Amino acid sequence: MAARADRARRVAFDALRRVTGEDAYANLVLPALLTERGITGRDAAFATELLNGTCRWTGTYDQVLAAASGRPLSSLQPAVVDLLRLGTHQLLGMRVGSHAAVSATVDLAAATVGRRVTGLVNAVLRKVAAEDRDGWVDRLGAGRDERDRLALAHAHPRWVVDAYADLLPADQLVAALAADNASPEVSLVVRPGLAEVDELLDELGGAGERSRLSPFGVRTSGNPGDLPLVRTGRVGVQDEGSQLVAWGLTRPDAEPGRWLDLSAGPGGKTALLAGLAVSQGSRVLAGELAPHRAGLVVQGARAYPLEQRPQVVVADATHPPWSPGSFTRVLADVPCTGLGALRRRPESRWRREPADVEALHPLQRSLLGTALDAAAPGGLVAYVTCSPHRRETADVVLETLAGRDDVDVVPAAAVLPEVPDAATGPDGAFLQLWPHRHGTDAMFAAYLRRR
């Protein structure tokens, strides 16, 4: 058992070094390492929780380690800090006994950094083990205000706690923060016209269930790459919230004509729209600035017949190659901070700063303006972000509309009446999903009609 645990810890350490040292993404680097080393089953599950939990709780654990070591972490070798973070998560966030967590981390330190650091690792982790996580929060949070304590207790930067508090009723703030720390189920989507939900459920053999809100979705666990429907491209991996906001673009009436996804990569929404466009006698044009992401759009829609696949162009949507007024439906799924997907990207909360929100704001306004200009009279536009932050959502829409007299807001409740408790913005006209309310990523959508 110990040998298997050591193997799992080693792969988690190697993945964490890439996350912290090379800005890699935990959800991408670990699966590749697990496959490369042939690690499966319980060891893979242990390594996944160890890495994801450590990344998710880094900000809190760093404060614990600074207190336990009596020194700033910047004075320690980065690899040693990562070892201590992994040990701390085993002590405070996993069901690993104190002796096993400390001794296994000391052995890992000896095997990776060298025996010279094992004494330090042992001493610091023994001090960490003297309290449970709640005890450390009480100790470190003494004298702080309530939001600082919430940030510490739920592993969020203070500025994110403030942003959530600006949007949510006070009695939902803790639930929203806690939901970001719960690992989501795998969410699958059938490509319309290529597969049916019942067909996917049959292939899962009882290991899946229909999504709560999306008619195209199924929730399951395990590795989706093992499913033939996924491998052939007839089914994709896509959060239910992303399915819903894309589906919303197709619900209100619009004249027949071409559809546009102006910032399409990596292509999940494009693939869903491609199937829905066929049923309305339309076809999707997908623009994407980055060539490699444009390639992902092509790959995601590969299962459609050639005449139904989206036409993919490498294009800068701020200087579009298409003519104004050319499309009856336009999706503007704009670049954002990704604060709505913190539960899926555990390290991302510590990589963002308030300045990132402001830096993206002009681009988001520009892309929404491009989307509105691309819509034909009577055409629909969906402005979408994977962020609940006001500066990336309602502020972008309201500031853009303040300079135009040719756009009406289509109330989101009329677009997606199936989705409860999601109204936001003036008069509840926009849509805001939340993990703690809807079990989805925190997607935002505003539906607009060009007069």
Side-chain angles (χ1 to χ4, degrees):
M1 179 65 70
R4 289 197 296 272
D6 288 342
R7 194 167 175 235
R9 289 179 172 90
R10 177 59 188 262
V11 76
F13 171 76
D14 290 343
L16 184 59
R17 291 300 303 128
R18 296 189 188 181
V19 171
T20 61
E22 303 172 16
D23 285 338
Y25 294 98
N27 66 330
L28 298 180
V29 69
L30 182 61
L33 285 175
L34 293 173
T35 300
E36 176 186 306
R37 300 181 190 184
I39 299 175
T40 59
R42 291 183 178 179
D43 283 349
F46 183 93
T48 300
E49 169 53 31
L50 181 54
L51 176 66
N52 288 346
T54 300
C55 290
R56 191 174 286 123
W57 284 87
T58 291
T60 297
Y61 291 163
D62 283 359
Q63 295 182 61
V64 171
L65 287 167
S69 65
R71 67 176 77 183
L73 297 189
S74 58
S75 68
L76 298 175
Q77 186 178 344
V80 173
V81 175
D82 282 344
L83 286 164
L84 292 171
R85 289 166 172 163
L86 291 168
T88 299
H89 186 56
Q90 291 170 69
L91 290 167
L92 305 185
M94 297 177 71
R95 294 179 180 178
V96 179
S98 296
H99 177 75
V102 175
S103 62
T105 307
V106 168
D107 290 343
L108 183 60
T112 56
V113 179
R115 294 197 174 276
R116 61 186 173 77
V117 303
T118 57
L120 170 67
V121 170
N122 179 70
V124 173
L125 290 182
R126 286 186 181 278
K127 290 184 179 180
V128 171
E131 303 265 12
D132 61 13
R133 190 156 67 196
D134 288 342
W136 276 110
V137 168
D138 288 342
R139 176 175 165 183
L140 296 173
R144 301 189 186 187
D145 69 24
E146 180 61 22
R147 290 189 189 174
D148 267 351
R149 286 179 56 84
L150 287 175
L152 182 67
H154 296 282
H156 283 67
R158 167 62 188 259
W159 70 273
V160 175
V161 176
D162 289 339
Y164 282 20
D166 183 45
L167 297 164
L168 290 165
D171 61 356
Q172 292 189 27
L173 181 56
V174 169
L177 297 171
D180 282 344
N181 293 329
S183 297
E185 295 177 282
V186 175
S187 180
L188 302 176
V189 59
V190 298
R191 310 293 194 209
L194 300 179
E196 300 290 341
V197 168
D198 287 341
E199 182 183 4
L200 175 56
L201 291 171
D202 287 344
E203 188 165 282
L204 287 165
E209 61 181 7
R210 292 177 182 273
S211 293
R212 174 181 160 198
L213 299 169
S214 168
F216 314 104
V218 167
R219 296 189 179 198
T220 185
S221 59
N223 181 8
D226 293 337
L227 299 172
L229 282 171
V230 173
R231 291 200 298 269
T232 58
R234 297 167 61 202
V235 167
V237 179
Q238 186 180 43
D239 178 72
E240 187 179 0
S242 293
Q243 299 173 38
L244 289 169
V245 294
W247 183 39
L249 176 63
T250 73
R251 304 293 297 283
D253 291 337
E255 294 295 323
R258 291 193 303 163
W259 298 6
L260 172 66
D261 185 350
L262 61 77
S263 184
K269 296 181 185 69
T270 313
L272 177 58
L273 290 176
L276 295 172
V278 170
S279 67
Q280 297 190 25
S282 300
R283 192 174 181 185
V284 177
L285 174 68
E288 171 53 48
L289 178 62
H292 74 281
R293 287 170 63 87
L296 295 176
V297 178
V298 173
Q299 177 70 6
R302 67 190 182 280
Y304 287 106
L306 186 60
E307 67 277 6
Q308 296 177 4
R309 292 177 195 169
Q311 299 169 289
V312 181
V313 296
V314 176
D316 180 353
T318 63
H319 299 87
W322 48 79
S323 300
S326 299
F327 302 94
T328 57
R329 301 184 194 269
V330 181
L331 175 64
D333 181 14
V334 301
C336 67
T337 57
L339 295 179
L342 295 185
R343 60 191 188 138
R344 297 187 185 278
R345 302 182 184 119
E347 73 291 323
S348 63
R349 68 189 70 184
W350 310 114
R351 291 182 175 175
R352 291 296 191 181
E353 300 288 344
D356 296 324
V357 176
E358 292 304 324
L360 284 164
H361 187 77
L363 174 62
Q364 292 161 347
R365 284 193 57 182
S366 175
L367 291 173
L368 176 54
T370 296
L372 292 169
D373 291 341
L380 268 296
V381 172
Y383 174 80
V384 169
T385 67
C386 187
S387 171
H389 198 290
R390 191 183 302 277
R391 289 294 289 161
E392 301 191 86
T393 58
D395 282 2
V396 172
V397 179
L398 295 174
E399 289 173 16
T400 302
L401 297 189
R404 307 184 66 118
D405 60 2
D406 61 342
V407 181
D408 293 318
V409 176
V410 182
V415 175
L416 289 168
E418 301 85 353
V419 183
D421 198 20
T424 192
D427 300 320
F430 308 146
L431 179 90
Q432 181 64 67
L433 303 174
W434 288 97
H436 71 287
R437 290 181 186 171
H438 307 101
T440 68
D441 289 346
M443 300 294 300
F444 170 91
Y447 299 100
L448 311 169
R449 189 182 295 276
R450 183 85 180 270
R451 291 181 192 156

